Amino acid sequence: GEIDFNKNLNICLDWYINNQCQCDINIIGQDDIDFFNYTLETLYARLSAADLKPHTVWICSNGKFLTNPQSHINDIIKQFRQINIDIKFRLYFNGQGIDEYSDDWYNQIDNYIDNIESIIAYITPDNISKWMVNYLWWLTEAPATLFDKMTIKEKNYGWTEQTIEIYQQFYTF
């Protein structure tokens, strides 16, 4: 059968509140704006009435929702602050040399720098040939505050002798 996310979210929140938990909450992969809005609205409604609350709600995503005018993220951040819960982001994107976002998109993301804990960029066999140009973009054109939050990680699957050679060139350029 189909998974009822809304029902499952409320079951989890019932357990969290009834057991007086206070651990942080992680939300992963909410690029669908309706999912994002529903999840955060439900968390706010349920947690605002709870005796114990998490210190932080972590949102782990590619960040597309931050630039979607339907997300109302600024209002959500303010609402959660009123009940002493921080909203923090762990974002996953590679940079303009690889991803297809505009300079304006990165500048909009930079508006949330105080709420961004980290940006993870992935080197993969599929994108390694673009990383030298991408890294130069990070160094010279990306908002410096975003670069300060960026960490590069590699994904360990699908490497060939050719892509490993390009990878070695990247690390020595």
Side-chain angles (χ1 to χ4, degrees):
E2 190 172 313
I3 295 172
D4 185 343
F5 174 79
N6 300 346
K7 178 182 173 186
N8 290 339
L9 175 62
N10 280 293
I11 289 170
C12 289
L13 287 171
D14 286 343
W15 183 90
Y16 185 96
I17 292 166
N18 291 336
N19 287 284
Q20 298 185 358
C21 291
Q22 199 173 8
C23 59
D24 290 350
I25 294 175
N26 287 285
I27 303 169
I28 300 171
Q30 68 301 326
D31 296 326
D32 176 283
I33 198 63
D34 293 331
F35 171 83
F36 172 79
N37 285 334
Y38 176 82
T39 301
L40 289 177
E41 288 166 6
T42 301
L43 284 172
Y44 178 78
R46 299 291 307 276
L47 293 173
S48 62
D51 292 331
L52 295 176
K53 299 170 179 51
H55 296 287
T56 306
V57 172
W58 294 96
I59 300 173
C60 308
S61 170
N62 62 17
K64 289 181 183 178
F65 67 90
L66 290 173
T67 61
N68 187 322
Q70 296 175 348
S71 74
H72 310 291
I73 189 63
N74 288 320
D75 294 335
I76 291 168
I77 291 170
K78 288 175 189 171
Q79 283 180 319
F80 274 83
R81 279 192 189 136
Q82 291 173 352
I83 60 169
N84 298 316
I85 299 173
D86 287 327
I87 298 285
K88 296 286 184 180
F89 306 113
R90 291 180 178 131
L91 303 178
Y92 303 89
F93 54 82
N94 293 310
Q96 196 173 40
I98 297 171
D99 298 328
E100 297 183 14
Y101 303 128
S102 67
D103 285 339
D104 183 56
W105 187 85
Y106 292 100
N107 289 328
Q108 288 179 50
I109 295 295
D110 193 45
N111 291 331
Y112 299 98
I113 198 64
D114 292 339
N115 296 84
I116 296 173
E117 180 202 62
S118 63
I119 297 168
I120 307 298
Y122 286 102
I123 292 178
T124 68
D126 294 334
N127 71 19
I128 185 60
S129 63
K130 300 175 184 176
W131 258 97
M132 285 186 220
V133 169
N134 190 53
Y135 192 68
L136 289 173
W137 174 82
W138 275 104
L139 289 174
T140 61
E141 297 178 45
T145 50
L146 291 183
F147 179 74
D148 291 343
K149 303 279 183 163
M150 195 260 288
T151 300
I152 299 173
K153 293 188 176 187
E154 68 180 62
K155 291 197 175 180
N156 292 319
Y157 60 88
W159 291 94
T160 64
E161 286 185 35
Q162 181 182 9
T163 56
I164 290 171
E165 186 176 312
I166 297 168
Y167 193 28
Q168 290 171 333
Q169 291 171 5
F170 170 69
Y171 271 105
T172 59
F173 102 102

